[in-house]
Amino acid sequence: MPQLTAEMKASLRLLVVDDERTLRESCASVLEYEGYQVSVCSRGDEARETLKRKKFDVVLLDLYMPEVPGMKLLRTCLEAHPDTIVIVITGNPTVDSSLEALRAGAWDYLPKPFSATHLQILLGRAAHAVMVARESHALQADFAREHGNSERVTVLGAAPGFRRAVDLARRVAPTDASVFITGESGSGKELIAQFIHHHSRRSSRPLVAVNCAALPEALLESEMFGHCKGAFTGAVRDKPGLLEAANGGTLLLDELVEMSKPIQAKLLRVIQDGVVRRVGSETTDAVVNVRFIAATNCNPEDAVKAGTLREDLYYRLRVVPIHVPPLRERPGDVRLLVQHFLGQYWVRHRGPGTPLPQLTDAAVRSLRARAWKGNVRELENVIEHMVVMLEPGAPIRPEDIPALGEPVGEEGRPFLPSEVTTEEPYYAARDRLVAAFELHYLKQLVTEAGGNMSRAARTAGVDRTTLYRLMERHGLHRKLATSEE
């Protein structure tokens, strides 16, 4: 962690709230010696009025105060001054009480008894976070003036489930609370993580991502924690890890459940006290101030029950859980996403001067009927493929969509009414399912009739004109009709 200068420390205002005189005065003495501006409060009502009236950069707050409970003081402080870093002191730390404090907005907690060294390290990390926040606020203000408050990360979607995820991400972003994002592969978990980081008080520092499933255990440990020269064959120099690279910023732990138990234990230590020990080192190599965001496409509760994910690590990271719904549960967003990717890739591959292809309703119906097991990432790949093949200004028809396949659900079955989601309006859900049924039925009908339209019409019990109209609606006529009697 970069050295805090005496001038920086002198600019920080700290408040210690504790009814134990010895502990209160000891903390104040240590922190004053470090060079901070320190105030103290011994009673709950006094602390409440002080927190309402004055703004502090960091508050050390005893969780069990007489007169006014510490949790109430925590909320009072953050309601009056949301940017204040609050560290709760507790003599009876439990998972429930710690999570309650963190979810209420506490920056961290300090279990009693603690040493002066522990206090100094924790306050040093908090002070570093305050300085990073000041830097980030200045950059965000400059960005807002230059771009008119536009978003730095674009998240597209109007489905209620997706908007709930975005709204929750927006609320948690200004805090330093750890976030656990779940959702299927390709659904947008990393995008939500980017959104949180860029709206946080750490946005001036890096967002570093590590894929825990992509690296073997030894390499993952070296990548995350760094290594010392001579720690293993090929370690020819000291190398800082990703935790040090993310100092002041955010570390995204993608596919966390794939991380081995020994590395999980080592990571938990970093989360708790910020101390990093590189591979092959016997001393503390760095103290870091990092926000953690974890993500997985499986059920983390199942991983905890199976013993592959440490329960204490899970609950430390799952302060705020966010679930990103799959694309099949937000079909109303398909048109919006297609238009976005179409414009983005058309400019990239064709240039800004050529006319953009026009998306037809039939194409949208066909796209909505797809299972999208790869979610938004699969849709993006399909649209990029289309962009390469389409003619400028041409209408996009269902047959232009590559590798559409059958409109199947998760297990290879045709879409059924039981798969309706109430995330979309009634008429939209009805039209989507009718379109999926028509596409599946017509393909099977004409295929079984060998492309003979007269035979297909007799089998379906409709006249050929009606059958032709239905097939044109789905762009199937030229592909499937081959002969007639």
Side-chain angles (χ1 to χ4, degrees):
M1 189 156 55
Q3 188 68 38
L4 291 168
T5 65
E7 184 180 358
M8 290 177 179
K9 290 182 178 180
S11 71
L12 299 178
R13 301 181 60 190
L14 277 58
L15 176 67
V16 180
V17 181
D18 200 302
D19 61 324
E20 295 183 31
R21 185 173 70 86
T22 302
L23 181 63
R24 182 177 67 248
E25 292 182 357
S26 297
C27 289
S29 296
V30 170
L31 297 175
E32 285 173 348
Y33 179 80
E34 287 286 309
Y36 301 109
Q37 300 179 55
V38 184
S39 301
V40 296
C41 286
S42 60
R43 302 191 316 276
D45 54 357
E46 175 193 7
R48 180 175 55 196
E49 295 307 312
T50 301
L51 290 170
K52 286 181 180 178
R53 189 173 65 255
K54 297 181 180 179
K55 184 182 186 306
F56 296 91
D57 295 297
V58 182
V59 174
L60 271 170
L61 174 63
D62 187 6
L63 196 57
Y64 298 100
M65 290 286 293
E67 300 172 351
V68 182
M71 287 298 298
K72 189 169 184 179
L73 291 175
L74 169 62
R75 295 188 180 96
T76 298
C77 176
L78 294 179
E79 286 172 3
H81 309 289
D83 291 339
T84 298
I85 285 181
V86 181
I87 300 171
V88 296
I89 304 172
T90 173
N92 300 293
T94 65
V95 170
D96 290 339
S97 64
S98 300
L99 278 176
E100 183 185 8
L102 293 171
R103 286 172 177 162
W107 188 78
D108 208 335
Y109 58 87
L110 186 60
K112 298 178 184 177
F114 53 86
S115 65
T117 301
H118 192 175
L119 177 64
Q120 289 169 323
I121 290 175
L122 184 57
L123 263 294
R125 292 169 57 213
H128 183 253
V130 172
M131 304 310 297
V132 170
R134 290 178 181 177
E135 177 185 288
S136 298
H137 288 161
L139 289 178
Q140 287 172 352
D142 291 342
F143 183 87
R145 283 193 297 270
E146 185 176 345
H147 300 278
N149 291 310
S150 60
E151 300 282 13
R152 299 181 70 178
V153 175
T154 302
V155 286
L156 295 174
F162 185 73
R163 293 316 309 175
R164 281 194 295 270
V166 174
D167 291 343
L168 187 54
R170 191 185 300 277
R171 289 201 305 273
V172 74
T175 74
D176 275 333
S178 298
V179 181
F180 206 118
I181 307 173
T182 56
E184 294 180 7
S185 179
S187 58
K189 299 186 295 298
E190 187 169 352
L191 185 68
I192 294 296
Q194 293 172 358
F195 182 89
I196 292 171
H197 174 74
H198 286 294
H199 287 80
S200 75
R201 53 190 173 197
R202 298 174 176 269
S203 60
S204 64
R205 299 301 175 93
L207 167 65
V208 178
V210 54
N211 189 326
C212 303
L215 301 172
E217 180 178 346
L219 184 55
L220 177 61
E221 183 179 17
S222 173
E223 283 294 306
M224 284 189 61
F225 300 96
H227 61 254
C228 295
K229 180 180 178 180
F232 49 83
T233 303
V236 296
R237 60 180 176 82
D238 289 349
K239 178 181 178 294
L242 296 178
L243 281 161
E244 292 177 64
N247 187 33
T250 304
L251 185 68
L252 171 60
L253 301 162
D254 197 14
E255 297 309 326
L256 173 72
V257 297
E258 300 296 330
M259 182 184 291
S260 69
K261 295 291 282 293
I263 300 182
Q264 290 181 33
K266 195 170 180 178
L267 174 62
L268 181 62
R269 181 67 183 272
V270 177
I271 295 173
Q272 289 174 339
D273 57 25
V275 174
V276 174
R277 179 174 292 180
R278 296 176 184 172
V279 176
S281 174
E282 296 180 357
T283 61
T284 295
D285 295 293
V287 176
V288 295
N289 159 38
V290 176
R291 183 192 197 160
F292 293 91
I293 299 178
T296 182
N297 60 16
C298 68
N299 187 337
E301 300 277 357
D302 291 343
V304 171
K305 291 176 183 176
T308 56
L309 178 61
R310 287 180 61 117
E311 186 175 19
D312 47 3
L313 176 63
Y314 173 55
Y315 286 114
R316 187 68 197 241
L317 290 171
R318 190 185 175 273
V319 176
V320 179
I322 296 178
H323 178 69
V324 183
L327 184 58
R328 65 179 174 277
E329 292 181 6
R330 38 184 293 220
D333 291 341
V334 168
R335 182 187 290 272
L336 182 65
L337 291 165
V338 170
Q339 294 285 17
H340 171 73
F341 293 136
L342 185 62
Q344 173 182 309
Y345 286 110
W346 190 260
V347 171
R348 179 182 301 179
H349 292 296
R350 300 300 189 91
T354 54
L356 192 70
Q358 301 302 306
L359 188 64
T360 64
D361 290 340
V364 172
R365 284 193 295 269
S366 294
L367 288 165
R368 286 180 176 176
R370 189 169 182 170
W372 297 116
K373 293 184 179 181
N375 292 292
V376 179
R377 185 183 296 124
E378 181 185 353
L379 175 64
E380 183 178 0
N381 291 339
V382 165
I383 300 306
E384 185 175 12
H385 179 98
M386 288 168 53
V387 162
V388 174
M389 305 303 295
L390 288 168
E391 294 296 327
I396 301 175
R397 300 162 302 188
E399 58 263 36
D400 296 321
I401 302 170
L404 182 62
E406 296 293 334
V408 296
E410 287 186 75
E411 300 175 359
R413 298 172 288 104
F415 273 98
L416 299 174
S418 61
E419 293 170 329
V420 169
T421 170
T422 54
E423 294 287 344
E424 56 183 331
Y426 165 77
Y427 291 107
R430 184 194 65 180
D431 292 345
R432 175 176 62 85
L433 288 168
V434 167
F437 160 74
E438 288 180 351
L439 183 60
H440 182 77
Y441 180 87
L442 291 170
K443 280 187 174 183
Q444 184 172 330
L445 174 71
V446 179
T447 299
E448 291 176 355
N452 187 305
M453 296 300 291
S454 297
R455 187 184 308 160
R458 287 196 299 272
T459 301
V462 298
D463 58 64
R464 283 197 304 171
T465 302
T466 299
L467 184 58
Y468 277 124
R469 178 174 54 80
L470 288 171
M471 294 186 67
E472 285 290 349
R473 180 182 180 187
H474 293 281
L476 298 176
H477 179 247
R478 284 176 293 277
K479 292 168 61 177
L480 298 181
T482 57
S483 61
E484 295 189 26
E485 291 180 348

